[in-house]
Amino acid sequence: MALILVADDEYFLAVMLADMLEDEGHEVQTAPNGQAALALMREARPALLITDFMMPIMTGLELAEAMHADAALADIPIILVSGAQGGIAREKPELFQAVFDKPYQRDGLLAEVERMLNGKG
Amino acid sequence: MHDMSRLTTGISGLDQILAGGFIAGASYIIQGQPGAGKTILSNQIAFSHLRDGGKVLYVTLLAESHERLFQALDVLDFFDRSKLGNDITYVSVFQTLRDEGLDAVVKLLRRETKRQGATLLVFDGLLNARDRAETDFDVKTFVAEIQGQAAFVGCSVLFLTSSSVKEISPEHTMVDGVVELTDTLAGVRSVRQIQIRKSRGSKAIGGLHEFEISDGGITVYPRLEALADPAIAALEPATGRVGSGLAELDALLGGGIPRGSVTLIAGPTGGGKTTLGLHFLSQSSADEPGLHFGFFETPHRLYAKARSLGIALPASGSPELTLHWTSLSDNILDKLGDQLLGQVQKLGIKRLFIDGFGGFERAAHHRPRLIEFFASLVDRLRALSVTTLATWEIRELVGTDVTAPARDLSAILDNMILLRQVEEDHRLVRSISVQKVRDGNFDSAAHLIEFAEGGLAIGASLHHELASPSVDPIDG
């Protein structure tokens, strides 16, 4: 069991993903944008961040850059799930450890989560 | 000249009825039932705005995921995934609305508009915002705040809603314009229409205009008779005569068809209308390119028919003659008009044969406007100096009780030729008679016609009179 943070402005997608992860025994927090996610992870450091790209106030890319620049958060692994910006994210492997294109397969994403949490990422 | 104060929609027919497009910095409601086309319309406008160098913020409140939306838009030509997240950003404010309310949404949108440098804000889900508002005053305040802050930075706003916003609704009074999309049934066919319900500071063309959704997105066809054409009033009538392709008919007409006039050929099926048209088109040349605009024979069948009659048409595919065939299935009246006038202008057509007006009649789901439509079409053809022959089918296959179609239709046409079939001694006798020629003398006697080698052969004048009350082609 680990704390996982999910950032997505699309509420139902965030809730669905959170439910899936909770079913696997994890504790999950959700945030509707990058800034809110940053605030949450400074309060309670998650083992993993799963973030959307296109979000209001702070995008997934800006969030990843802010984490990268913050020594306290720089080593939290990040999975990006995106409809259209997967390509941009794949060009930045230093920021994103994995990229999934929406719509993604549940099993594939969950396997990647387990792989990262078990330190094989 | 580019008008900086306008936000063009990129949909030419819509820009026409909006008198040049939306007013930049103004706000509009786009309303219509689910499936009416609001989402396609607003995304098409958004991507057109990107091509004009604008930036778009697309805000949703709905449960449908953005990815689902993108998948639906993927099949449309205007949609470009590479623009997502760069020039156009889709964000959901559902959670903000649910957790923090309308004020928080207003604040978030102000920040996002500024952050993205958005020049167009699309807000999809005004109905949901309404549900969250406790009073009408809250809705009014919400709309006022969104459009106020957008206008302050020169950003235009489109509010999408599936509710029917009444004229007394608070939102209606706040916005600069209301565009309504409808999808209704006319008999068994579906008819999509767009109406500008309100347009502050801009002289929009009112009433209903049909539109269609295809891979190219939305195409709007403004009602032809509602569009002003300054060229018509300034028209100097063309002079001279052109050959019909039949010397005997030219003689009956008093020396050929008046150039730039519109002639109706009325008659029953099998009476020789199309053959007359083929004679006329056989005279097409590089100087006088011809167009066959028909609903019945395909180009292939027309050439076969001309060959069997011994009428020599310019070669298929040559610039001298173009055959444009449209099937009779679900047509849009103004689309037909647009296609016809478009071809005539593009190809510089001087000889036009329309076979026939019935194809237009069948496309009209609101028949009372047909006379105005034809009058407008005919005016435009005259303004383009096109000599036009159009057919009108008369129901009775055999009979003597026919002369002129509806007086209303006759009045807008310049010339009229009537083809008849009568039975004499158990034999079908065909005749032709000229009923009317604009500003000219003509031979009104009915003459025998026969199908012969080389096409129609016009023979002697008939000796007896044929009784002839009129038939109304619109209501008849």
Side-chain angles (χ1 to χ4, degrees):
Chain A
M1 157 152 165
L3 175 63
I4 300 174
L5 179 58
V6 172
D8 199 325
D9 59 323
E10 292 194 73
Y11 177 75
F12 293 99
L13 291 185
V15 167
M16 194 182 65
L17 183 53
D19 286 348
M20 255 161 53
L21 294 167
E22 280 169 1
D23 287 349
E24 297 299 310
H26 301 296
E27 188 186 336
V28 186
Q29 286 189 314
T30 63
N33 61 65
Q35 198 179 61
L38 209 53
L40 280 175
M41 71 177 70
R42 282 187 174 131
E43 278 175 25
R45 186 191 151 89
L48 174 67
L49 167 72
I50 303 178
T51 182
D52 182 26
F53 194 108
M54 225 173 356
M55 292 186 290
I57 303 171
M58 181 185 272
T59 66
L61 178 60
E62 289 163 341
L63 170 61
E65 283 167 347
M67 288 166 66
H68 198 63
D70 185 334
L73 306 173
D75 58 345
I76 299 174
I78 305 176
I79 297 177
L80 184 101
V81 287
S82 168
Q85 290 79 26
I88 304 172
R90 286 191 183 88
E91 287 167 15
K92 299 183 186 301
E94 72 282 10
L95 294 180
F96 302 102
Q97 279 66 55
V99 177
F100 282 81
D101 293 313
K102 287 181 183 174
Y104 51 81
Q105 293 293 312
R106 173 183 177 278
D107 291 350
L109 185 69
L110 288 179
E112 185 62 35
V113 166
E114 294 310 319
R115 213 167 62 83
M116 284 193 181
L117 291 177
N118 294 330
K120 294 173 202 156
Chain B
M1 192 181 75
H2 185 61
D3 186 349
M4 291 305 287
S5 67
R6 293 281 175 171
L7 184 147
T8 55
T9 65
I11 300 168
S12 65
L14 181 55
D15 285 334
Q16 266 182 301
I17 62 176
L18 284 168
F22 292 122
I23 293 173
S27 58
Y28 295 82
I29 285 176
I30 297 179
Q31 66 183 54
Q33 294 300 310
K38 300 181 298 294
T39 305
I40 291 177
L41 180 70
S42 55
N43 276 282
Q44 194 170 347
I45 293 168
F47 277 85
S48 162
H49 188 56
L50 298 185
R51 286 193 299 276
D52 288 343
K55 295 238 178 192
V56 181
L57 175 61
Y58 197 107
V59 180
T60 65
L61 272 176
L62 305 169
E64 183 193 52
S65 81
H66 292 158
E67 189 47 38
R68 184 77 62 87
L69 173 66
F70 300 152
Q71 283 175 356
L73 293 173
D74 263 336
V75 301
L76 300 169
D77 298 340
F78 65 78
F79 186 66
D80 180 358
R81 273 194 187 249
S82 73
K83 301 277 189 202
L84 300 182
N86 299 315
D87 299 327
I88 181 166
T89 304
Y90 292 76
V91 299
S92 167
V93 295
F94 178 88
Q95 203 175 349
T96 308
L97 177 71
R98 199 196 56 166
D99 297 348
E100 302 169 65
L102 289 170
D103 288 347
V105 171
V106 170
K107 196 171 157 193
L108 189 151
L109 293 185
R110 182 172 65 240
R111 290 178 59 183
E112 274 309 284
T113 305
K114 186 171 170 228
R115 201 168 81 88
Q116 310 282 353
T119 45
L120 174 64
L121 168 66
V122 181
F123 186 89
D124 189 352
L126 192 58
L127 181 62
N128 305 56
R130 249 198 132 174
D131 289 345
R132 188 65 168 74
E134 282 168 17
T135 65
D136 274 357
F137 182 74
D138 289 346
V139 181
K140 199 164 175 171
T141 307
F142 176 73
V143 170
E145 284 183 325
I146 298 279
Q147 70 175 23
Q149 67 194 27
F152 192 67
V153 293
C155 179
S156 312
V157 186
L158 303 179
F159 291 101
L160 274 50
T161 180
S162 55
S163 66
S164 179
V165 178
K166 303 278 187 314
E167 276 164 38
I168 48 158
S169 304
E171 306 90 298
H172 199 292
T173 59
M174 298 304 300
V175 295
D176 299 286
V178 176
V179 177
E180 183 165 55
L181 305 180
T182 51
D183 184 1
T184 52
L185 284 176
V188 292
R189 68 175 269 212
S190 160
V191 177
R192 293 184 183 276
Q193 289 172 311
I194 189 167
Q195 181 186 10
I196 313 302
R197 293 269 305 270
K198 174 181 178 180
S199 168
R200 193 185 278 162
S202 178
K203 203 168 161 46
I205 300 175
L208 296 168
H209 306 276
E210 275 191 75
F211 71 94
E212 65 179 351
I213 301 176
S214 62
D215 288 350
I218 284 177
T219 310
V220 176
Y221 300 100
R223 273 177 302 117
L224 188 66
E225 66 273 21
L227 293 175
D229 187 342
I232 293 171
L235 169 71
E236 286 266 345
T239 54
R241 301 269 176 148
V242 302
S244 68
L246 278 170
E248 300 90 337
L249 178 59
D250 289 344
L252 296 182
L253 288 162
I257 307 168
R259 189 182 300 279
S261 67
V262 180
T263 305
L264 190 73
I265 306 170
T269 186
K273 300 188 299 298
T274 302
T275 308
L276 217 54
L278 292 177
H279 277 295
F280 174 66
L281 289 177
S282 72
Q283 304 299 302
S284 301
S285 63
D287 288 340
E288 289 192 349
L291 170 66
H292 181 284
F293 194 89
F295 298 91
F296 305 103
E297 289 94 347
T298 59
H300 196 72
R301 279 176 54 202
L302 271 177
Y303 270 102
K305 180 170 183 146
R307 261 197 310 278
S308 73
L309 287 163
I311 299 171
L313 291 179
S316 167
S318 76
E320 292 166 26
L321 179 62
T322 304
L323 305 184
H324 182 104
W325 175 74
T326 309
S327 84
L328 275 177
S329 60
D330 293 1
N331 286 321
I332 295 175
L333 181 62
D334 297 292
K335 181 182 181 181
L336 294 174
D338 186 66
Q339 284 176 334
L340 173 61
L341 292 167
Q343 292 257 351
V344 165
Q345 280 172 293
K346 191 179 93 189
L347 303 169
I349 297 301
K350 290 297 163 205
R351 281 178 181 261
L352 169 65
F353 179 52
I354 300 171
D355 197 14
F357 273 170
F360 289 86
E361 184 205 15
R362 293 192 71 86
H365 56 87
H366 182 69
R367 292 161 62 102
R369 62 173 285 234
L370 267 174
I371 294 296
E372 286 78 8
F373 173 85
F374 281 134
S376 182
L377 183 68
V378 161
D379 279 344
R380 279 155 217 267
L381 291 172
R382 284 196 199 104
L384 292 164
S385 294
V386 189
T387 308
T388 304
L389 258 55
T391 65
W392 185 266
E393 185 158 316
I394 288 168
R395 307 268 154 85
E396 289 75 11
L397 288 180
V398 175
T400 56
D401 57 347
V402 171
T403 51
R407 279 161 219 88
D408 287 342
L409 186 54
S410 314
I412 59 176
L413 301 164
D414 300 304
N415 322 307
M416 182 101 59
I417 296 170
L418 181 64
L419 299 170
R420 272 179 290 192
Q421 295 183 145
V422 291
E423 208 169 283
E424 273 187 357
D425 300 332
H426 310 289
R427 201 169 58 93
L428 207 55
V429 175
R430 292 192 176 86
S431 73
I432 186 169
S433 60
V434 176
Q435 306 273 310
K436 170 182 166 186
V437 175
R438 184 188 72 192
D439 307 331
N441 293 319
F442 59 95
D443 179 351
S444 63
H447 287 250
L448 281 169
I449 48 168
E450 281 176 355
F451 289 98
E453 183 58 36
L456 283 179
I458 299 182
S461 157
L462 290 178
H463 297 295
H464 57 278
E465 287 281 312
L466 295 168
S468 46
S470 73
V471 152
D472 188 328
I474 303 299
D475 304 316

